């Protein structure tokens, strides 16, 4: 059994509802259906593509799935919710990124864990810190050490998710 952290993001087709559906789907692959989910946060999109703001969160759960099996499951959930991969950092109905797989470091063509951009992304770090405040990353760096006041100010918590 491995503790995993998954980032959730959406900015099309009722983003909060997309995240709610994704959480329900994650419960089906989590051990005993137990999933911890951060608050939902509104964030400005990355890149130069004009698009709506995102709704982001981070979920944490235990799984018996191996890393590639978990990645396949996450991508299946994205597809079931209408994910189309048209352009990098473009709008999407749902994006599920495997951030951490226990303390494992994985670097294979289809999967990089810890997620390659997580240390710079407020929409990942702030929700992650909300549910795992004392987390130490596989590189032995404390999550808290990555948080800045600017990151805190760049996100807006959405009241009363679900």
């Amino acid at each position: 059994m491995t503790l995993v952290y998954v980032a959730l993001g959406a900015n099309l087709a009722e983003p909060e509802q997309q995240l709610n559906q994704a959480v329900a789907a994650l419960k089906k692959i989590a051990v005993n259906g137990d999933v911890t989910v951060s608050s939902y946060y509104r964030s400005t999109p990355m890149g130069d593509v004009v698009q709506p703001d995102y709704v982001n969160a981070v979920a944490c759960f235990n799984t018996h799935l191996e890393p590639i099996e978990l990645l396949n499951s996450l991508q299946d959930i994205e597809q079931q919710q209408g994910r189309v991969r048209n352009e990098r950092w473009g709008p999407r109905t749902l994006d599920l990124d495997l951030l951490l797989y226990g303390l494992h470091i994985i670097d294979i063509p289809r999967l990089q864990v810890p997620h390659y951009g997580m240390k710079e992304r407020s929409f990942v770090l702030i929700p992650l810190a909300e549910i795992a405040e004392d987390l130490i990353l596989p590189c032995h760096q404390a999550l808290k050490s990555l948080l800045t006041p600017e990151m805190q100010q760049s996100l807006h918590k959405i009241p009363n998710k679900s």
Side-chain angles (χ1 to χ4, degrees), residues 1-4 29-31 61-66 70 101:
M1 184 162 62
T2 305
L3 182 65
V4 299
I29 60 174
V31 173
F61 56 94
N62 283 300
T63 185
H64 292 297
L65 297 175
E66 293 297 318
L70 179 57
Y101 186 88

Side-chain angles (χ1 to χ4, degrees), residues 124-145:
V124 170
L125 295 178
I126 300 300
L128 180 58
E130 181 184 318
I131 62 172
E133 181 180 18
D134 296 322
L135 183 68
I136 304 297
L137 301 176
C139 65
H140 307 290
Q141 185 172 21
L143 175 62
K144 287 180 189 176
S145 72

Side-chain angles (χ1 to χ4, degrees), residues 52-63:
D53 284 351
Y54 275 85
V55 175
N56 299 96
V58 170
C60 169
F61 56 94
N62 283 300
T63 185

Side-chain angles (χ1 to χ4, degrees), residues 9-15 18-19 45 51-55 90-94:
N11 71 343
L12 296 176
E14 308 271 344
Q18 293 290 343
L19 266 57
Q51 58 185 309
D53 284 351
Y54 275 85
V55 175
R92 55 199 70 180
T93 54
L94 181 64

Side-chain angles (χ1 to χ4, degrees), residues 69-113:
E69 291 177 295
L70 179 57
L71 176 64
N72 290 339
S73 293
L74 297 176
Q75 289 177 343
D76 286 347
I77 293 167
E78 288 176 337
Q79 286 185 320
Q80 289 166 14
Q81 290 187 222
R83 169 78 187 262
V84 178
R85 296 175 188 275
N86 285 334
E87 57 188 322
R88 185 179 176 121
W89 297 332
R92 55 199 70 180
T93 54
L94 181 64
D95 187 25
L96 298 175
D97 289 328
L98 179 56
L99 300 174
L100 297 168
Y101 186 88
L103 292 175
H104 296 271
I105 296 173
I106 303 165
D107 191 4
I108 56 177
R110 277 192 65 210
L111 182 61
Q112 204 173 11
V113 175

Side-chain angles (χ1 to χ4, degrees), residues 120 122-123 126 146-156:
E120 295 84 37
S122 60
F123 59 86
I126 300 300
L146 298 170
L147 303 174
T148 66
E150 294 79 23
M151 284 182 175
Q152 299 273 358
Q153 294 166 0
S154 71
L155 296 183
H156 306 284

